[in-house]
Amino acid sequence: TFTREVVEMIKTIPGCKIPFFKFIPRYHHHFGKQCRVADYGYTKLRDLLDSMPHVIQIIGEGNKTTITLAHKAQVRRFTNDLLKMLKNTPEKQLLMSEFPQLYLEVFGKPLNIYDYGVCTVEDIFAELPENTVIYEEVMDDHHNTKDVIVSVFKRFQTQEEVIRTRGFAREVVELLRHAPDLAISFNKFIPAYHQHFGRQCRVGSYGFSKLIELFESIPDTVEVRQHKLSISLVLKKTIL
């Protein structure tokens, strides 16, 4: 939880950097609560932040010590933001030339690529994990590249996986019908599924690598609602 809070807070700061001595007051102002280091088993803030090298990078010494997001965390953040942008487009694709404008429309602020810890858009795109997006060059009349289409990578399901996904949709209906308000927190779904059906929910059996992708493949059954720091799954009333 603290890790998610740190990412949430730092990404709101221009340049995603904050002086070390300002971290505690900023945390208090942002979340309206004290940052109690002892709650996480530490006596010093520096030790707590050092325990999260996959998320936090501490630069400099003394009064010039700065806290920023680690490169891997920045790549994950950009990847998630890019996929959110693509999923907001009708064809789940965009032209690279339209990237800044679409970013403004989706996030309500101009794109500042320095906030992701890189100098150019090309730098961060080069860091994207495999099987995240697909690139297709748009050529002019002289066969020169004039633009690039970026689209969501999608592996087609086999017929057997499609059938399993339909069965999964029926299981989701059965599970959520027993849940308060026909909804459940995303991070509680797997243990609830295991408890209800007595078996593991294996996402790969349906042809997906992430649970969120599996839910997005059954939009007529469940609605995925994203909140500030959490995701909820809500049963569609149309199927009741």
Side-chain angles (χ1 to χ4, degrees), residues 24-33:
I24 294 293
R26 179 78 184 210
Y27 182 95
H28 186 197
H29 176 76
H30 189 90
F31 295 106
K33 63 181 179 180

Side-chain angles (χ1 to χ4, degrees), residues 5-48:
E5 288 177 344
V6 170
V7 174
E8 175 65 26
M9 184 184 78
I10 292 183
K11 74 180 185 181
T12 65
I13 302 171
C16 289
K17 294 181 180 179
I18 181 172
F20 185 87
F21 68 90
K22 290 185 177 181
F23 182 90
I24 294 293
R26 179 78 184 210
Y27 182 95
H28 186 197
H29 176 76
H30 189 90
F31 295 106
K33 63 181 179 180
Q34 297 292 336
C35 177
R36 303 186 187 282
V37 177
D39 290 347
Y40 309 102
Y42 293 91
T43 56
K44 297 180 180 179
L45 176 62
R46 178 66 185 251
D47 293 338
L48 172 58

Side-chain angles (χ1 to χ4, degrees), residues 175-188:
L175 182 59
L176 292 187
R177 274 180 173 165
H178 292 86
D181 300 321
L182 305 176
I184 189 173
S185 297
F186 181 80
N187 60 353
K188 292 182 179 179

